[in-house]
Amino acid sequence: MFHSVRHMIYDLIEWRSQILSGTLPQDELKELKKKVTAKIDYGNRILDLDLVVRDEDGNILDPEQTSTISLFRAHEIASKQVEERLLEEKSQKQNLDISRQAKFAATPSFALFVNLKNVVCKIGEDAEVLMSLYDPLESKFISENYLVRWSSSGLPKDIDRLHNLRAVFTDLGSKDLKREKISFVCQIVRVGRMEQRDNNTRKLTSGLRRPFGVADVDLFNDVSFFLISVMDVTDIINGKVDDEDKQHFIPFQSLALDSAIRHKQLNISSRFSPRVAGENDFLQTVINKVIAAKEVNHKGQGLWVTLKLLPGDIHQIRKEFPHLVDRSTAVARKMGFPEIIMPGDVRNDIYVTLVQGDFDKGSKTTAKNVEVTVSVYDEDGKRLENVIFPGAGDEALSEYKSVIYYQVKQPRWFETVKGNVFRIVTVVDIFSKQPFFVFVKVAIPIEDVNRSHLRFTFRHRSSQDSKDKSEKIFALAFVKLMRYDGTTLRDGEHDLIVYKAEAKKLEDSSTYLSLPSTKMELEEKGHSTAGKSMQNLGSCTISKDSFQISTLVCSTKLTQNVDLLGLLKWRSNTNLLQQNLRQLMKVDGGEVVKFLQDTLDALFNIMMENSESETFDTLVFDALVFIIGLIADRKFQHFNPVLETYIKKHFSATLAYTKLTKVLRTYVDNAGVTDQLFKAMKSLEYIFKFIVRSRILFNQLYENKGEADFRESLLQLFKSINEMMSSPSDQTVIVKGAALKYLPTIVNDVKLVFDPKELSKLFTDFILNVPMGRLTIQKLYCLIEIVHSDLFTQHDCREILLPMMTDQLKYHLERQEDLEACCQLLSNILEVLYRKDVVSNLYRKDVLGIARADTTTRADYYGKAIEDSKQDSHLNGT
């Protein structure tokens, strides 16, 4: 005990010094204060001292200024936190920072900050250092690459970045926290000669991208070597390790790949698995060998990095951690959507992975040294300049050249290129002998996407400069980014057709764009793909060579779903509008939330552009309820902030309030249709947020015009709801329960555009219309929510609500009905009345009103409770 307390005191002294120094950033200072108070409370607990009750900021609560009920609840929370800490100590989890864990648990996104300190490796030529995150269990990369160009002198090529090689791997979410393993992988691409041992540089081709660490094949032992560095960062991602100053040395490991692995071929079928990288033995084998290696003969070669997990998206990180992340820090995004897509966060990436190829050696005596060049062209044959990004932190290119593997007939690249409709990304390069993985990002203006295609040209590269200059493109493959139906290229693998023709013809896009790009398209047009002989299509010949790619689309503007596309482009065919609105409610929820802003914009544009007609109002309302219901689902609940942001900053339909109110009232008046009305009741909070925001925008534009009509529409809506509540029908009991649960959620929004006193009267009538003896507990919890609303803090509103509440309390306490809910309601009323912002000269009158109404019934209740307690004690023999 003594040593434990002494250690805690030393920690507190050190932390106090840090706080008094005044050098900590605001975010770290706030976290440190929470850590200090947590340590003090824990120390008090193990020493059996009094528990100190604090507010959210760690300040001690003043019992003179805090109600008894508030103190009790704060005491409960504090006790629970201390007990949790004790359990963690017993479970030997002392190294976990509780506040930090809670912060990450409450944050939907986070990022891994990486600071590259140095690369120690005898390369001898210029190189590309590529770093990315990798899941070893799923055998796939989960992030783009962070690329640093390294010079032959052992320093960054951009010498200005010598001490500023920083990157953040963003868009990570709770699912990534739950991964069993995450690795930080570094690979090196050598940029220079075909064979590093060649000395006569003047006659040799230079500037070739070659995998470093892959030696030439030993003709006697048939063994090649692969150099890679891997670090397990699971504890850092999970928040168990947090030391941004600690430098980690990640050694490079050279692994021998036996011929069985190196020559094993992929089983390519007409249908491909959606997962590309990681389903090949050699990839998993290499990474797992590095991870499992216990003793590494690295000879001092490796890289030095510091790592830190940061909560929040890139905007939040730049704001809260300016000392780590600024505008010069490279941003490597996740290969896939983040868990939350905020309005204004435009993501239009297409990841293209070059999987493998099979190329005939032709007239050559050995297999070709195939180099794939990736570029983006429009339908007029114009190349899009500076749209390819080989990695975060690097400049844009007009074309990307793959890694070259020496004399391999069936190269496997698995390099990925990322393409965006604002950017396109391509993953390229992994050959059969060498498991090498590179990611490239391609950025295309969104208006050009439907006219653009990816072009892959194939060229043999010779190690001799004189021969290399005479080598021309020997084949071409292509794929359009948009399909005939307006949707984007499907996710998954694509077996592309390799065309051969004269080099000049292959450079002309009109030669091939009208031809099928995949073997599936070729079969659909009635051509055979099984024969080994070449087929002529126009001026091009279908080669016996094969080439496979895989694509993954991450776009907030372009969809692969035809039904959703029909709604987003509803103006192109208004005859199908009703069908498109109905089909929206069948679209997968994950696809809808990705396009949340555009979908909501489309719905309200339909409503506004048909303002004189009611044809689409009900369907638009149903679609809106469907979307709100999706976000209420636990699976998509983290999109709540997205919807809130849309309503506050992007919603602009000034007349939507009239139509939404009218459709809702129609549903209430026809309460027999319980299914849709029940869904509408569950969506009341956000339906009224749209109604209120629409009315506010209308007032700003037309200076409170139509105020009387708006007031009357709300009065009529509440009248319809009250009639439904007073109905004795059992068919609507579920809807009534939903109304009691969700109607209080509209209070704080509606009072912005409606007289609070009149709103209080409406809620009073609403409660009084609930038949006595039915839905009692739902009614009491409804009253509790009203107490928590802004209405109850205003005395003139409270004068209307409080008598009704005390009458309800008296009635149910006298009949001993739902006593727990009654006590909770009473305690909440007293707690609100104790608040500083509520206390007034009329406070005494409020309390006396409660006392007069409840004195007798509360005395009876407590007397009965004591009697019950005595009877229980007697039965238990105590």
Side-chain angles (χ1 to χ4, degrees):
M1 174 69 76
F2 172 77
H3 294 291
S4 178
V5 173
R6 183 176 64 176
H7 183 70
M8 283 191 288
I9 291 173
Y10 286 156
D11 285 342
L12 290 172
I13 292 171
E14 181 184 347
W15 294 340
R16 181 177 182 274
S17 300
Q18 292 178 22
I19 292 172
L20 293 177
S21 69
T23 59
L24 292 176
Q26 279 295 327
D27 59 305
E28 291 188 15
L29 180 62
K30 188 176 180 180
E31 288 300 311
L32 185 56
K33 285 183 176 179
K34 288 183 178 180
K35 187 187 289 187
V36 168
T37 55
K39 183 70 76 173
I40 292 172
D41 291 342
Y42 173 69
N44 288 341
R45 176 67 178 80
I46 64 174
L47 292 172
D48 290 329
L49 300 176
D50 291 339
L51 176 64
V52 179
V53 182
R54 306 176 188 276
D55 61 16
E56 293 178 355
D57 297 322
N59 302 313
I60 299 175
L61 289 175
D62 184 355
E64 298 297 327
Q65 302 294 326
T66 311
S67 72
T68 305
I69 296 167
S70 297
L71 279 173
F72 173 73
R73 288 176 178 167
H75 190 281
E76 280 188 319
I77 294 171
S79 298
K80 184 179 178 182
Q81 289 175 343
V82 172
E83 289 301 324
E84 287 175 353
R85 179 63 187 268
L86 284 172
L87 289 174
E88 287 181 355
E89 292 288 341
K90 291 177 182 178
S91 303
Q92 297 183 345
K93 293 182 178 178
Q94 294 93 330
N95 62 323
L96 288 180
D97 184 336
I98 300 172
S99 61
R100 187 170 184 273
Q101 290 291 309
K103 184 175 182 179
F104 278 102
T107 303
S109 61
F110 55 94
L112 180 66
F113 171 76
V114 177
N115 190 356
L116 179 63
K117 296 294 186 179
N118 196 14
V119 177
V120 181
C121 191
K122 298 177 182 178
I123 302 173
E125 293 182 298
D126 289 350
E128 298 171 5
V129 181
L130 299 139
M131 291 154 278
S132 54
L133 299 179
Y134 175 81
D135 186 326
L137 298 182
E138 294 186 11
S139 299
K140 71 174 184 180
F141 286 89
I142 61 176
S143 76
E144 301 170 7
N145 278 315
Y146 169 44
L147 169 60
V148 176
R149 297 192 181 275
W150 211 255
S151 70
S152 56
S153 61
L155 295 171
K157 293 204 74 173
D158 184 355
I159 199 64
D160 294 335
R161 298 177 59 196
L162 178 59
H163 299 294
N164 190 28
L165 297 172
R166 298 179 296 175
V168 280
F169 292 87
T170 62
D171 302 327
L172 303 175
S174 59
K175 292 180 181 177
D176 299 299
L177 277 176
K178 295 174 183 176
R179 293 180 189 269
E180 291 186 36
K181 293 286 183 181
I182 296 183
S183 298
F184 179 74
V185 177
C186 176
Q187 305 163 77
I188 294 181
V189 174
R190 177 172 60 84
V191 182
R193 305 183 296 275
M194 184 72 73
E195 299 179 59
Q196 200 170 7
R197 62 189 178 187
D198 293 330
N199 296 320
N200 191 355
T201 56
R202 286 183 296 177
K203 295 182 179 180
L204 298 176
T205 307
S206 60
L208 303 176
R209 298 183 71 241
R210 298 275 286 136
F212 179 70
V214 182
D216 294 319
V217 176
D218 186 324
L219 297 178
F220 298 99
N221 297 319
D222 195 22
V223 174
S224 64
F225 296 88
F226 179 70
L227 195 67
I228 191 170
S229 64
V230 178
M231 175 184 174
D232 187 343
V233 293
T234 309
D235 286 347
I236 296 173
I237 294 291
N238 290 336
K240 295 180 180 179
V241 176
D242 181 28
D243 186 355
E244 66 186 75
D245 297 321
K246 180 180 179 181
Q247 293 194 19
H248 303 272
F249 176 67
I250 312 175
F252 285 118
Q253 301 186 41
S254 182
L255 296 180
L257 304 180
D258 58 39
S259 59
I261 294 175
R262 291 189 298 105
H263 294 299
K264 182 169 182 176
Q265 302 303 314
L266 288 172
N267 295 320
I268 301 298
S269 62
S270 58
R271 293 188 177 273
F272 296 87
S273 165
R275 232 174 47 178
V276 181
E279 292 192 348
N280 307 287
D281 290 346
F282 76 89
L283 166 57
Q284 189 172 5
T285 302
V286 168
I287 300 292
N288 289 345
K289 274 188 176 181
V290 175
I291 294 172
K294 295 181 180 179
E295 295 184 4
V296 181
N297 184 20
H298 53 77
K299 298 180 181 178
Q301 296 190 105
L303 66 155
W304 294 88
V305 297
T306 61
L307 303 162
K308 181 178 177 64
L309 192 68
L310 306 177
D313 58 22
I314 185 62
H315 304 292
Q316 184 179 347
I317 288 168
R318 282 176 176 154
K319 183 178 179 180
E320 295 186 5
F321 301 93
H323 61 296
L324 296 178
V325 181
D326 56 26
R327 294 291 173 181
S328 67
T329 306
V331 178
R333 301 202 70 167
K334 181 179 178 179
M335 283 182 57
F337 277 108
E339 292 183 9
I340 291 185
I341 307 167
M342 295 297 291
D345 181 13
V346 179
R347 180 91 184 264
N348 290 293
D349 301 333
I350 303 176
Y351 293 90
V352 184
T353 304
L354 308 188
V355 180
Q356 76 160 13
D358 188 346
F359 301 98
D360 186 72
K361 66 181 180 180
S363 59
K364 301 185 180 297
T365 56
T366 58
K368 296 174 182 176
N369 307 323
V370 179
E371 178 187 72
V372 183
T373 301
V374 183
S375 51
V376 184
Y377 281 77
D378 64 18
E379 58 190 16
D380 297 326
K382 180 184 176 182
R383 187 175 73 179
L384 276 64
E385 302 295 328
N386 301 321
V387 295
I388 300 178
F389 294 81
D394 201 47
E395 296 179 351
L397 306 172
S398 297
E399 61 181 23
Y400 174 78
K401 297 183 182 295
S402 73
V403 170
I404 302 166
Y405 295 94
Y406 192 64
Q407 296 181 356
V408 177
K409 180 178 182 293
Q410 295 176 315
R412 300 175 191 163
W413 295 274
F414 288 97
E415 295 184 55
T416 302
V417 181
K418 169 182 167 186
N420 184 316
V421 233
F422 259 41
R423 281 179 295 200
I424 283 197
V425 186
T426 312
V427 182
V428 204
D429 279 0
I430 293 202
F431 276 74
S432 60
K433 290 199 298 183
Q434 294 84 5
F436 203 86
F437 320 95
V438 183
F439 306 96
V440 184
K441 181 161 65 180
V442 185
I444 301 174
I446 192 166
E447 63 271 13
D448 293 336
V449 174
N450 62 336
R451 303 177 64 249
S452 302
H453 64 277
L454 292 172
R455 186 161 87 171
F456 310 91
T457 56
F458 308 97
R459 181 185 172 200
H460 169 72
R461 300 304 302 268
S462 173
S463 57
Q464 299 295 321
D465 188 52
S466 57
K467 292 182 179 179
D468 188 68
K469 288 179 180 179
S470 63
E471 295 289 349
K472 297 180 180 179
I473 297 171
F474 69 84
L476 169 144
F478 75 98
V479 65
K480 295 179 181 178
L481 297 178
M482 302 292 286
R483 288 162 49 88
Y484 65 90
D485 57 7
T487 58
T488 57
L489 188 65
R490 291 286 186 266
D491 291 347
E493 296 191 21
H494 309 275
D495 197 352
L496 302 188
I497 299 170
V498 179
Y499 288 103
K500 289 193 174 182
E502 294 179 9
K504 288 186 178 180
K505 289 184 177 180
L506 291 177
E507 293 175 358
D508 184 0
S509 61
S510 62
T511 305
Y512 60 83
L513 268 184
S514 60
L515 303 177
S517 61
T518 66
K519 292 187 177 178
M520 183 177 291
E521 288 181 45
L522 192 67
E523 290 176 349
E524 290 173 355
K525 293 188 177 183
H527 296 277
S528 172
T529 59
K532 293 185 178 180
S533 60
M534 294 197 225
Q535 302 179 48
N536 292 322
L537 287 179
S539 57
C540 293
T541 301
I542 298 178
S543 169
K544 293 182 291 185
D545 298 342
S546 66
F547 178 61
Q548 289 83 32
I549 67 168
S550 175
T551 59
L552 172 65
V553 176
C554 299
S555 174
T556 55
K557 294 295 180 182
L558 301 176
T559 178
Q560 296 176 346
N561 187 285
V562 177
D563 295 326
L564 184 57
L565 181 69
L567 178 67
L568 296 178
K569 296 189 175 183
W570 63 273
R571 290 186 183 90
S572 61
N573 191 346
T574 54
N575 294 329
L576 296 176
L577 187 49
Q578 288 187 343
Q579 177 185 332
N580 290 333
L581 285 167
R582 291 189 182 96
Q583 290 298 116
L584 171 67
M585 290 173 270
K586 298 178 182 178
V587 176
D588 178 69
E591 191 73 6
V592 173
V593 295
K594 285 190 292 189
F595 298 89
L596 186 60
Q597 181 175 347
D598 287 343
T599 304
L600 290 171
D601 283 343
L603 291 176
F604 287 109
N605 286 336
I606 292 168
M607 185 176 277
M608 292 302 94
E609 293 182 26
N610 295 275
S611 58
E612 301 300 322
S613 169
E614 299 179 0
T615 307
F616 306 109
D617 291 358
T618 301
L619 284 172
V620 170
F621 183 89
D622 291 347
L624 184 61
V625 168
F626 167 72
I627 292 172
I628 296 171
L630 273 180
I631 294 172
D633 189 288
R634 181 175 296 180
K635 184 179 179 182
F636 303 111
Q637 63 184 1
H638 47 269
F639 276 86
N640 269 312
V642 182
L643 188 56
E644 295 274 3
T645 303
Y646 174 82
I647 295 170
K648 292 176 183 177
K649 296 183 178 180
H650 300 273
F651 175 68
S652 60
T654 54
L655 294 175
Y657 71 92
T658 59
K659 289 179 173 286
L660 293 176
T661 307
K662 189 172 184 179
V663 175
L664 179 58
R665 184 188 169 196
T666 302
Y667 271 124
V668 176
D669 287 339
N670 298 278
V673 187
T674 56
D675 184 51
Q676 194 59 32
L677 180 56
F678 177 68
K679 293 177 182 177
M681 286 295 166
K682 291 178 66 176
S683 306
L684 275 179
E685 179 182 2
Y686 283 101
I687 289 173
F688 270 91
K689 283 182 184 291
F690 280 112
I691 291 172
V692 170
R693 183 60 182 163
S694 174
R695 180 61 195 172
I696 290 173
L697 293 172
F698 185 88
N699 286 345
Q700 292 172 354
L701 196 61
Y702 298 105
E703 298 181 351
N704 296 329
K705 183 181 178 181
E707 187 69 31
D709 291 339
F710 175 66
R711 176 181 174 278
E712 184 62 26
S713 67
L714 280 188
L715 289 174
Q716 292 301 319
L717 175 59
F718 265 88
K719 180 180 177 183
S720 296
I721 292 174
N722 289 342
E723 288 177 358
M724 178 190 72
M725 298 303 293
S726 62
S727 168
S729 173
D730 291 331
Q731 290 183 334
T732 57
V733 66
I734 296 177
V735 175
K736 293 175 185 176
L740 285 165
K741 181 176 181 180
Y742 296 105
L743 198 62
T745 62
I746 75 171
V747 171
N748 293 344
D749 291 302
V750 174
K751 70 184 288 289
L752 299 175
V753 291
F754 196 79
D755 179 54
K757 286 183 67 177
E758 197 156 10
L759 185 60
S760 300
K761 292 176 184 177
L762 291 176
F763 268 92
T764 299
D765 292 340
F766 170 70
I767 293 296
L768 294 177
N769 272 282
V770 180
M772 286 297 186
R774 306 193 70 179
L775 298 169
T776 302
I777 193 164
Q778 288 88 346
K779 178 176 62 177
L780 289 170
Y781 279 112
C782 177
L783 291 173
I784 290 170
E785 293 303 316
I786 295 173
V787 169
H788 290 157
S789 72
D790 293 343
L791 280 184
F792 202 73
T793 62
Q794 298 179 222
H795 180 74
D796 51 353
C797 297
R798 200 164 57 249
E799 276 190 321
I800 299 167
L801 293 167
L802 193 54
M804 174 269 293
M805 292 182 178
T806 54
D807 288 345
Q808 293 290 323
L809 274 171
K810 181 178 180 180
Y811 179 87
H812 294 296
L813 284 172
E814 285 177 345
R815 286 160 180 76
Q816 306 294 314
E817 295 174 349
D818 296 303
L819 297 178
E820 184 178 346
C822 288
C823 287
Q824 191 174 343
L825 173 59
L826 182 58
S827 63
N828 277 271
I829 292 172
L830 292 172
E831 185 176 7
V832 171
L833 293 177
Y834 197 88
R835 282 165 42 186
K836 287 183 179 180
D837 58 330
V838 175
V839 172
S840 68
N841 295 330
L842 300 169
Y843 169 72
R844 179 178 176 81
K845 180 180 177 182
D846 288 330
V847 176
L848 286 174
I850 297 171
R852 290 193 187 102
D854 292 346
T855 300
T856 305
T857 52
R858 280 188 288 120
D860 291 343
Y861 163 62
Y862 289 125
K864 183 177 184 302
I866 293 169
E867 186 64 30
D868 290 344
S869 177
K870 289 180 178 179
Q871 289 180 6
D872 291 341
S873 299
H874 177 71
L875 290 172
N876 293 327
T878 58

